[in-house]
């Protein structure tokens, strides 16, 4: 058989294949069907030497994950802030039997509620992001109250350093025991983590101190608090490896097995009825990375950077083009806007933008000086001319007006603390830079903040020369199907290699295909 013939057989991923050798040991063929159907071949001077198992897309991850979230495929479009993971993106995922999260971080409550209005009208599951907001705890609380009021039953918790009262309130809201005596939790949390100590907090039951506070506030009954001791804060935990945005740049090959083993210890220790599950995100952008994730035991995959480069993302064509040109070396770390004073960093594109350089400069000045009045004249003039394009006092007035509406306590704190005031002004630049990027403000192209991981470069290399190289063909469902289908084919090819080394394949076996072609093989 030619390699092309073998590849065609492997692509029929639902069909088992039997490896049949001729008497001379050199002629090898693959035959589909049951062992009964190939019995004639075995009787005519041939013998059976191996088997390639079926590998449907649905079987790649944890079937119970899909059942619990009412989806068909173990594929999740992770949340990207400021609506980059847009309503239309979440709709596309949902209609295709995948799971999408709306990127609520950095958006006003009205915008988030409007997105929920639209998504709740669809006949598909969806989730919304809840990002940890250490500088604005009231915002985190307000988002949870909104989600509870609007019956949002699934959130993706991201960038959490520790647990907070609002997320425990969300998780335990409406908890009850059914007629069989099982604890039922209407609200689910999928937590994105990159540290063992944070994973441990989500794997464990809700902290008793928060449960007591909820009972004291009349938001939970004593009986419900007792039930909460039988559940994890998050049944599903996503290991976030080297991703765009908030990341610790951890390698998936070492981080994932560590968290998987940790999950097993917590499952044994607490004996949860709700079985803990672990997925993998950060670096998932090709069939090979997906196959590796599933082979390590990932219950589901989470993608991000590659979705931002798709037509449904809430960004502009200029950013999509920059992403299409990004290589793995075009990525760097820069200070984060939401955790600026803490020194937390995010991963961004450096090619074609000066954002990372300017953001680092702002952080250096923040560390070196106690107020804007202490800035050297030359430094202040440079900031006003190039970074802010306005006097810093004008930027403060804009910032002050913004927080007077959003969180007046921030203004009060800033007016009593010159260094915090300087931090808020510097955060204005960090906060506006993704807005300029998403809206396509060409006058600010040099300041675009584009969250992205090195997986974008791997994706571009994989799709080079294919129809997915063109922006207009990049749609999240097409990308998702190709990643999953390619992973299934690759896992079948690896089975074949292990049993018969004469079959060798090159990267063309994983070349992207349109959905219609894929459906012919998987139907």
């Amino acid at each position: 058989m030619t390699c092309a013939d073998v590849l065609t057989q492997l692509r029929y991923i639902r069909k088992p294949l039997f490896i049949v050798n001729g008497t001379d040991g050199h002629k090898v063929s693959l035959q589909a069907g049951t062992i009964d159907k190939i019995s004639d071949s075995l009787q005519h001077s041939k013998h059976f030497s191996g088997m390639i198992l079926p590998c449907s897309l649905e079987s790649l991850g944890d079937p119970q994950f899909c059942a619990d979230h009412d989806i068909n495929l173990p594929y999740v479009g992770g949340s990207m802030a400021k609506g980059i993971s847009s309503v239309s993106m979440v709709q596309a995922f949902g209609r295709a039997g995948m799971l999408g999260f709306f990127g609520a971080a950095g958006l006003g409550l009205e915008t988030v509620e409007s997105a929920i209005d639209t998504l709740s009208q669809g006949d598909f599951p969806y989730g919304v992001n809840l990002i940890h907001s250490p500088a604005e705890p009231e915002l985190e609380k307000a988002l949870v109250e909104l989600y509870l009021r609007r019956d949002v039953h699934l959130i993706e918790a991201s960038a959490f350093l520790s647990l907070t009262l609002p997320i425990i309130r969300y998780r335990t809201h409406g908890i009850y025991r059914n007629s069989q005596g099982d604890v039922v939790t209407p609200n689910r949390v999928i937590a994105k983590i990159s540290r063992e100590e944070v994973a441990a907090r989500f794997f464990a039951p809700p902290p008793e101190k928060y449960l007591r506070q909820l009972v004291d506030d009349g938001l939970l009954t004593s009986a419900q608090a007792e039930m909460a001791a039988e559940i994890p804060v998050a049944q599903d935990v996503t290991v976030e490896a080297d991703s765009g945005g908030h990341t610790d740049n951890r390698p998936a090959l070492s981080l994932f097995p560590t968290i998987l083993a940790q999950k097993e210890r917590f499952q044994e220790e607490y004996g949860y009825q709700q079985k803990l599950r672990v997925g993998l995100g950060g670096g998932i952008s090709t069939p090979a990375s997906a196959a590796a994730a599933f082979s390590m035991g990932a219950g589901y995959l989470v993608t991000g950077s590659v979705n931002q480069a798709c037509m449904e993302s809430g960004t502009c064509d200029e950013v999509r083009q920059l992403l299409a040109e990004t290589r793995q070396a075009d990525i760097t770390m820069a200070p984060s806007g939401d955790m600026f004073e803490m020194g937390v960093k995010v991963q961004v594109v450096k090619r074609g933008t000066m954002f990372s350089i300017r953001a680092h400069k702002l952080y250096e000045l923040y560390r070196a000086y106690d107020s804007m009045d202490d800035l050297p004249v030359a430094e202040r003039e440079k900031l006003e001319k190039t970074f802010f394009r306005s006097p810093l006092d004008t930027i403060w007035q804009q910032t002050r007006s913004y927080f007077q509406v959003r969180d007046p306590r921030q203004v009060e704190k800033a007016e009593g603390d010159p260094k915090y005031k300087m931090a808020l002004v510097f955060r204005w630049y960090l906060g506006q830079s993704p807005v300029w990027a998403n809206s396509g403000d060409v006058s600010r192209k040099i300041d675009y903040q584009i969250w992205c991981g090195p997986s974008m470069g791997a994706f571009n290399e994989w799709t080079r020369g294919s129809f997915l190289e063109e922006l207009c063909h990049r749609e999240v469902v097409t990308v998702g199907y190709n990643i999953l289908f390619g992973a299934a084919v690759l896992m079948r090819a690896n089975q074949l290699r292990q049993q018969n080394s004469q079959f060798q394949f090159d990267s063309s076996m994983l070349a992207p295909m349109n959905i219609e072609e894929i459906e012919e093989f998987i139907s």
Side-chain angles (χ1 to χ4, degrees):
M1 297 181 70
T2 66
C3 282
D5 293 333
V6 172
L7 178 55
T8 298
Q9 293 272 45
L10 292 174
R11 283 175 170 166
Y12 286 103
I13 57 176
R14 293 182 180 275
K15 296 180 179 180
L17 296 175
F18 296 91
I19 306 172
V20 179
N21 293 356
T23 53
D24 58 4
H26 296 294
K27 285 190 175 183
V28 180
S29 64
L30 295 180
Q31 298 188 24
T34 65
I35 192 68
D36 293 334
K37 290 183 178 180
I38 68 163
S39 59
D40 289 341
S41 296
L42 300 180
Q43 292 172 4
H44 289 81
S45 303
K46 296 182 180 181
H47 67 275
F48 167 80
S49 64
M51 179 179 180
I52 300 168
L53 298 174
C55 187
S56 67
L57 303 188
E58 297 85 355
S59 68
L60 287 171
D62 187 329
Q64 195 57 47
F65 174 84
C66 294
D68 287 350
H69 294 287
D70 195 24
I71 57 177
N72 299 326
L73 301 171
Y75 191 89
V76 178
S79 52
M80 292 176 283
K82 294 188 180 293
I84 293 175
S85 50
S86 64
V87 168
S88 61
M89 183 183 292
V90 176
Q91 290 172 326
F93 279 128
R95 290 165 181 159
M98 303 173 184
L99 181 61
F101 284 92
F102 177 71
L107 300 177
L109 292 174
E110 300 82 2
T111 303
V112 177
E113 184 162 17
S114 176
I116 294 171
D117 282 339
T118 303
L119 291 171
S120 62
Q121 295 173 18
D123 186 23
F124 51 79
Y126 70 93
V128 184
N129 177 233
L130 179 69
I131 194 168
H132 183 40
S133 304
E136 298 180 83
E138 288 302 310
L139 175 61
E140 192 175 313
K141 178 181 177 182
L143 279 169
V144 165
E145 294 299 328
L146 170 63
Y147 297 160
L148 294 178
R149 178 166 56 83
R150 296 305 309 273
D151 292 326
V152 173
H153 294 298
L154 178 63
I155 62 170
E156 184 181 52
S158 59
F160 275 76
L161 305 174
S162 60
L163 296 178
T164 62
L165 183 64
I167 196 170
I168 301 304
R169 166 153 165 65
Y170 176 85
R171 173 63 165 146
T172 58
H173 181 74
I175 186 173
Y176 67 95
R177 199 178 294 277
N178 64 19
S179 58
Q180 287 76 43
D182 299 327
V183 174
V184 180
T185 51
N187 293 338
R188 296 178 180 273
V189 175
I190 297 182
K192 284 198 295 192
I193 61 88
S194 55
R195 293 175 178 267
E196 294 171 68
E197 64 273 19
V198 179
R201 295 184 180 108
F202 281 103
F203 282 142
E208 187 177 345
K209 66 176 182 178
Y210 289 142
L211 295 176
R212 284 200 306 267
Q213 186 172 343
L214 291 171
V215 171
D216 291 343
D217 293 342
L219 299 173
L220 207 63
T221 68
S222 296
Q224 287 177 316
E226 291 178 5
M227 295 177 207
E230 300 179 30
I231 64 165
V233 175
Q235 180 180 7
D236 299 306
V237 168
T238 302
V239 173
E240 187 175 24
D242 197 8
S243 66
H246 288 285
T247 181
D248 286 314
N249 306 111
R250 301 292 177 87
L253 290 178
S254 59
L255 180 60
F256 182 84
T258 300
I259 303 301
L260 192 63
Q262 187 181 27
K263 179 265 291 187
E264 292 165 356
R265 291 196 301 273
F266 273 82
Q267 184 71 53
E268 182 178 359
E269 178 179 354
Y270 291 101
Y272 293 127
Q273 173 199 343
Q274 299 180 356
K275 300 296 184 183
L276 299 174
R277 296 179 291 243
V278 181
L280 181 59
I284 305 298
S285 62
T286 64
S289 56
F294 287 127
S295 296
M296 285 194 295
Y300 58 93
L301 304 181
V302 177
T303 54
S305 295
V306 295
N307 300 329
Q308 185 176 189
C310 291
M311 299 305 295
E312 299 95 338
S313 70
T315 190
C316 67
D317 285 340
E318 288 81 4
V319 167
R320 279 186 272 267
Q321 186 59 49
L322 281 172
L323 290 169
E325 298 167 359
T326 296
R327 297 294 175 257
Q328 294 189 46
D330 296 333
I331 305 298
T332 190
M333 300 298 292
S336 164
D338 57 347
M339 301 182 188
F340 177 73
E341 300 95 308
M342 300 168 65
V344 174
K345 295 182 179 180
V346 291
Q347 191 155 221
V348 299
V349 172
K350 67 179 178 181
R351 188 176 188 270
T353 171
M354 289 187 66
F355 167 77
S356 62
I357 296 173
R358 291 182 169 180
H360 279 294
K361 181 64 176 178
L362 290 175
Y363 186 67
E364 290 171 7
L365 293 174
Y366 169 75
R367 292 291 302 274
Y369 300 99
D370 292 328
S371 72
M372 291 188 293
D373 292 337
D374 292 342
L375 294 172
V377 174
E379 292 285 11
R380 181 165 182 147
E381 289 178 348
K382 181 180 178 181
L383 294 181
E384 293 179 336
K385 182 179 180 180
T386 59
F387 288 42
F388 295 90
R389 301 185 186 179
S390 291
L392 293 184
D393 290 337
T394 300
I395 299 299
W396 165 241
Q397 290 305 318
Q398 294 178 14
T399 303
R400 187 180 188 280
S401 297
Y402 172 78
F403 279 110
Q404 283 283 27
V405 175
R406 184 182 178 103
D407 188 355
R409 293 178 306 171
Q410 302 292 328
V411 176
E412 181 180 350
K413 181 179 178 180
E415 291 181 338
D417 182 350
K419 192 174 183 71
Y420 188 66
K421 178 179 178 180
M422 177 170 60
L424 289 185
V425 170
F426 287 0
R427 281 166 55 188
W428 177 94
Y429 173 81
L430 300 175
Q432 289 299 309
S433 51
V435 175
W436 296 327
N438 293 344
S439 64
D441 185 343
V442 293
S443 70
R444 281 289 196 168
K445 189 172 183 179
I446 201 169
D447 295 301
Y448 284 0
Q449 179 181 179
I450 306 170
W451 300 302
C452 183
S455 62
M456 192 72 242
F459 176 83
N460 289 331
E461 183 60 34
W462 168 48
T463 59
R464 181 183 295 177
S466 75
F467 74 103
L468 282 181
E469 186 172 11
E470 299 181 41
L471 289 180
C472 62
H473 293 140
R474 292 187 174 185
E475 297 179 337
V476 291
V477 173
T478 301
V479 169
Y481 260 99
N482 270 283
I483 288 175
L484 290 176
F485 179 69
V489 174
L490 180 57
M491 293 170 79
R492 292 200 357 132
N494 287 337
Q495 290 184 50
L496 177 56
R497 285 196 191 99
Q498 291 167 359
Q499 299 175 80
N500 196 306
S501 60
Q502 71 173 276
F503 289 108
Q504 298 295 325
F505 305 96
D506 56 32
S507 59
S508 64
M509 70 175 287
L510 302 177
M513 307 165 66
N514 62 53
I515 290 181
E516 291 74 22
E517 290 177 293
I518 293 175
E519 288 178 341
E520 289 182 8
F521 287 109
I522 66 177
S523 60

